[in-house]
Amino acid sequence: EVANATYKRGSGDDLYRRSLYTYWKRTLAPPTMAILDTSDREWCSVKPKVTNTPLQALALMNETGFFEAATHLGQVMEKHEGTLSDQIRFGFRSVLSRQPEEAELRALEANFMKHLESFATDSTLAHEVLQVGDSKRNLETDGLAQRAALAMVANVILNLEEASVRE
């Protein structure tokens, strides 16, 4: 089954359409969907299986589509008026529909500061982070390090188990 399965990446207008309309063999799900516990379609299941594996975290943090979504969430967070804490609260609430607890907020702020320091010293790395994927993004040099650091915070928020697992 695997030998003749090919997945071609779309381009242009077809790029994001493929996430909704995916080629699916009868017993072989697309790789990312299989990693994220999709049904194997050999029988009807009322309640899907729920697992939490390192492969799922790697897919959510590194797969182009998910990382591209995180960079866009980071840009939306950046446009939100207020302090860094307000921006992080906005992104957190947008994804999880609740306000972050104080410890969660402090951890995300520390994550932001760590990445900001790294991107401030290496603007090439910040530029590379923001160029993942094909969609248009703000790549202006003003605030590039902050934009990349917010993208990394958004990536963490989107990778939280609460965001990716529905029970």
Side-chain angles (χ1 to χ4, degrees):
E1 288 184 81
V2 178
N4 59 1
T6 58
Y7 297 99
K8 289 185 181 179
R9 186 170 179 220
S11 61
D13 291 340
D14 191 40
L15 181 63
Y16 299 103
R17 178 184 171 277
R18 291 188 57 77
S19 65
L20 296 175
Y21 303 101
T22 296
Y23 176 73
W24 191 328
K25 293 186 102 176
R26 186 176 307 217
T27 58
L28 183 65
T32 303
M33 290 175 73
I35 289 170
L36 296 173
D37 292 333
T38 189
S39 169
D40 58 13
R41 298 181 66 182
E42 290 182 6
W43 61 81
C44 180
S45 65
V46 177
K47 185 175 181 183
K49 59 186 175 185
V50 177
T51 62
N52 189 352
T53 68
L55 278 178
Q56 291 170 336
L58 285 172
L60 290 172
M61 293 189 91
N62 298 320
E63 199 271 334
T64 302
F66 292 113
F67 194 79
E68 193 172 358
T71 60
H72 280 282
L73 176 60
Q75 285 188 349
V76 171
M77 290 164 60
E78 180 185 32
K79 290 177 184 175
H80 186 74
E81 296 292 323
T83 65
L84 172 65
S85 295
D86 294 334
Q87 292 173 331
I88 292 174
R89 280 189 184 99
F90 174 76
F92 194 94
R93 186 157 192 262
S94 296
V95 173
L96 299 176
S97 299
R98 70 172 179 86
Q99 291 294 336
E101 295 175 8
E102 203 57 36
E104 293 169 326
L105 182 61
R106 297 295 160 242
L108 290 170
E109 287 173 345
N111 182 278
F112 173 85
M113 296 309 287
K114 181 184 93 171
H115 284 101
L116 182 64
E117 182 179 313
S118 174
F119 293 136
T121 59
D122 188 359
S123 63
T124 311
L125 181 61
H127 200 265
E128 287 175 7
V129 163
L130 294 173
Q131 279 191 320
V132 172
D134 291 338
S135 63
K136 294 180 182 177
R137 278 176 224 115
N138 182 0
L139 296 174
E140 294 175 10
T141 53
D142 287 345
L144 189 69
Q146 179 174 349
R147 201 169 305 115
L150 276 172
M152 298 306 290
V153 169
N155 196 23
V156 169
I157 292 170
L158 290 172
N159 193 46
L160 292 171
E161 183 177 10
E162 189 176 346
S164 62
V165 175
R166 182 176 155 228
E167 292 188 53

